[in-house]
Amino acid sequence: MLIAGDRRATMGHLIAQRDLEKVHPADDYTAVAFAGTVGLALDMVKLYQVELAHVEKIEGVAMTLDGKARRLAGMIRQNLGQAMQGLAVVPLLTGYDPSAPEGERGRIFSFDVAGGLYEKTDFHAEGSGSPYARGALKKLFRKGLDRREAALAALQALYDAADDDSATGGPDLNRRIYPIVSVITEDG
């Protein structure tokens, strides 16, 4: 399972930050990325990480991947009032499900601003540059990509998005700022 994200945060038409980390590990088998209001998104990611660790400590076992997705959907739903005022957070959740049948262990979940939960197959993109990224991924994705090929496909999709969307940041060679790519395997 692979998840990648650009590093640009915008404030209207201005670049607010060039090196924002939009991809975060949630636990050993799950990663979350986000688009939307940065302050709320970072707080949501931190709270989500703490909740997953807390449940594992209290219960003695990790939450299921479906449970993790539903919990994140609930957190988004709690933000609905602010989302209706324009302060939306739209995460993307990827996870490795060791209990799933072989070939179905990597899963992707997207959400709408009301906490609607949607499982995606193969690939997905979120954020203002997502139509361009999805267009690139439609051409580049195929079942069975190895880690290097998947990373190159994700980076090409981010590059295509950055080429057409001013709010998506491409690689910044002068500042040495590059997209973040995270891989989740059966080892975590």
Side-chain angles (χ1 to χ4, degrees):
M1 199 78 228
L2 182 138
I3 187 169
D6 77 305
R7 308 284 300 274
R8 180 175 287 171
T10 57
M11 188 170 35
H13 296 289
L14 301 175
I15 297 172
Q17 186 173 344
R18 297 176 192 278
D19 61 351
L20 177 68
E21 293 190 19
K22 297 181 186 178
V23 177
H24 299 269
D27 64 12
D28 288 342
Y29 294 100
T30 316
V32 63
F34 65 84
T37 306
V38 173
L40 294 174
L42 289 173
D43 284 349
M44 188 179 293
V45 167
K46 288 175 188 169
L47 180 59
Y48 185 62
Q49 291 167 328
V50 168
E51 285 194 19
L52 293 183
H54 178 74
V55 167
E56 187 170 349
K57 240 179 212 173
I58 297 300
E59 300 294 328
V61 294
M63 192 182 294
T64 66
L65 187 53
D66 287 322
K68 293 173 189 179
R70 284 191 305 275
R71 180 60 202 125
L72 188 53
M75 293 176 79
I76 297 164
R77 201 169 298 110
Q78 291 172 343
N79 190 57
L80 183 58
Q82 289 178 298
M84 298 304 289
Q85 295 176 41
L87 300 173
V89 175
V90 184
L92 185 64
L93 181 71
T94 61
Y96 184 86
D97 188 353
S99 65
E102 186 69 37
E104 299 176 22
R105 293 185 176 158
R107 297 171 66 193
I108 305 167
F109 299 92
S110 72
F111 305 85
D112 62 29
V113 295
L117 173 60
Y118 309 95
E119 186 163 359
K120 302 299 182 175
T121 57
D122 300 330
F123 62 86
H124 190 66
E126 212 50 81
S128 62
S130 64
Y132 311 108
R134 276 195 293 264
L137 289 170
K138 280 182 185 179
K139 296 174 194 149
L140 299 170
F141 177 83
R142 71 180 192 295
K143 294 258 188 219
L145 290 174
D146 65 27
R147 189 179 300 180
R148 181 181 182 281
E149 292 169 328
L152 288 173
L155 292 172
Q156 182 64 53
L158 285 170
Y159 179 80
D160 285 3
D163 195 38
D164 289 317
D165 175 48
S166 62
T168 303
D172 188 336
L173 303 177
N174 291 332
R175 293 181 181 89
R176 297 179 188 255
I177 300 171
Y178 305 100
I180 294 177
V181 177
S182 182
V183 177
I184 307 165
T185 67
E186 61 189 24
D187 298 325

